[in-house]
Amino acid sequence: AKELKIKYFNYDYSLGYPVKDKIYLRYLPDTRKFCDVIFSNSNFRTEQYLMSSSFLTKKPLIFNHICPQLDYSLRKKSFLSFKSSDIKIGIVDNISYEDCGLSYDDLFTLIKFFKNNKLPFKFILQSKRGDLEEQFIKLNFNKKNYVSGRKGDFSLLRNSDLIISIGWQSIALKAASTFEKPLIFYSQNGYPYKGYIFSINKQNNQIINNLCNDLWFSEKDLNNKLNKLFLDNHNLDNVRDLSMELLNQIYFHKENIEDYFKKYFK
């Protein structure tokens, strides 16, 4: 593109992760593509791009835009065969390996909990690599009690009563924001990002850290906390309020993609 003198644009799908030290953002892959313009899907991601590109001699322009994944899922109408009275839990996973932020134990302990739980849950699975459905099959879940969304299309999650993000998962946050759903996080040992950087603004960073900590469930407290959510609507409303406060801090952009083309490609 540079040899042909054609402008090179990067459309951002990823939300990214909080970092222990902002120096690590120097190596953010999307910035190292040396594009002319980056379209960023959220305030959270924009701050990461600004920190990442600050090391470059020629910095890319950064514009905010709606994530194409979010745009597609928002427009698509998806319906389920579950009854409206069913409690529908959306579960979103990520890549799980021992050297990743999400481990197999995080995935397995959550699914095992639901296998042993007596509440009449139905499940909407949104999996990065199909691991969720594979574990549901291995643990002999009734196939009538779960459905899987297609990769990249999280429109089924509009039907959920609660979204559970296994670890920090961008689709879970996008879906909760798009469809205004209560959101909680889960990992076996609880909140893993204490002291990490979510925002370069110290006050906002502390707010996000506190909200994530409040919304993060562990294997130890999952049974008590989750059952309380559905035995008392007040508790679920409180989680919804905390979720919306967190998502307002992340702030996904929801402007229509076509508006950007009209503005920048006349």
Side-chain angles (χ1 to χ4, degrees):
K2 290 187 182 299
E3 288 176 2
L4 295 173
K5 297 182 179 180
I6 298 172
K7 285 193 177 295
Y8 170 29
F9 294 78
N10 178 37
Y11 280 83
D12 180 12
Y13 285 73
S14 175
L15 177 63
Y17 295 87
V19 292
K20 191 76 172 178
D21 190 322
K22 66 180 182 181
I23 193 71
Y24 298 138
L25 290 170
R26 177 192 290 263
Y27 308 105
L28 191 67
D30 289 336
T31 305
R32 308 315 292 188
K33 292 174 183 175
F34 302 107
C35 50
D36 298 287
V37 176
I38 298 176
F39 284 103
S40 176
N41 64 32
S42 60
N43 285 357
F44 175 89
R45 194 59 163 166
T46 296
E47 284 195 6
Q48 289 196 328
Y49 279 134
L50 288 171
M51 286 189 282
S52 179
S53 61
S54 67
F55 301 100
L56 300 177
T57 302
K58 184 181 179 183
K59 300 174 179 58
L61 297 175
I62 301 170
F63 293 119
N64 300 321
H65 81 107
I66 189 171
C67 169
Q69 214 171 37
L70 190 157
D71 189 46
Y72 176 81
S73 299
L74 181 62
R75 297 185 190 205
K76 185 178 178 183
K77 304 300 181 183
S78 296
F79 301 96
L80 295 179
S81 59
F82 298 151
K83 297 177 183 177
S84 58
S85 58
D86 291 333
I87 301 174
K88 294 173 281 295
I89 305 290
I91 306 178
V92 186
D93 75 355
N94 208 331
I95 299 172
S96 56
Y97 292 106
E98 292 306 317
D99 59 346
C100 291
L102 181 67
S103 73
Y104 170 79
D105 289 335
D106 295 324
L107 187 71
F108 179 76
T109 54
L110 178 66
I111 298 171
K112 185 180 178 182
F113 164 79
F114 282 120
K115 179 64 179 177
N116 297 327
N117 193 280
K118 302 302 181 184
L119 286 175
F121 293 130
K122 304 291 184 181
F123 302 96
I124 303 167
L125 312 181
Q126 190 73 39
S127 187
K128 192 89 169 180
R129 297 282 178 84
D131 292 341
L132 272 174
E133 186 168 6
E134 183 178 319
Q135 292 302 318
F136 266 66
I137 292 170
K138 283 184 178 180
L139 290 174
N140 297 314
F141 276 78
N142 187 329
K143 291 186 177 181
K144 294 181 180 179
N145 291 336
Y146 68 89
V147 63
S148 291
R150 296 174 61 190
K151 185 176 180 180
D153 171 11
F154 59 79
S155 57
L156 283 176
L157 291 171
R158 73 167 69 243
N159 301 285
S160 58
D161 298 301
L162 174 72
I163 294 175
I164 300 177
S165 174
I166 308 181
W168 177 264
Q169 222 302 324
S170 65
I171 280 189
L173 282 104
K174 290 176 193 175
S177 174
T178 304
F179 305 129
E180 298 183 353
K181 301 293 182 178
L183 169 75
I184 63 171
F185 302 90
Y186 174 83
S187 55
Q188 184 182 23
N189 298 316
Y191 185 50
Y193 293 121
K194 185 177 181 181
Y196 276 60
I197 299 171
F198 289 86
S199 172
I200 52 179
N201 181 293
K202 289 186 178 180
Q203 183 177 358
N204 291 344
N205 189 62
Q206 188 61 52
I207 290 171
I208 295 173
N209 255 294
N210 291 342
L211 289 167
C212 284
N213 186 58
D214 291 342
L215 291 168
W216 214 286
F217 291 30
S218 69
E219 183 181 22
K220 183 178 179 180
D221 61 26
L222 181 62
N223 183 63
N224 183 45
K225 284 186 175 181
L226 196 62
N227 285 330
K228 279 184 177 180
L229 290 184
F230 294 102
L231 292 174
D232 185 346
N233 287 335
H234 175 74
N235 291 323
L236 189 60
D237 288 340
N238 183 53
V239 166
R240 180 181 284 104
D241 291 342
L242 291 174
S243 302
M244 293 305 108
E245 191 176 345
L246 170 64
L247 293 164
N248 284 337
Q249 290 287 332
I250 303 300
Y251 192 76
F252 289 99
H253 301 287
K254 297 181 181 178
E255 295 84 354
N256 192 293
I257 285 177
E258 283 82 352
D259 292 341
Y260 287 92
F261 285 115
K262 291 175 183 177
K263 182 176 181 179
Y264 297 111
F265 297 92
K266 293 181 179 178

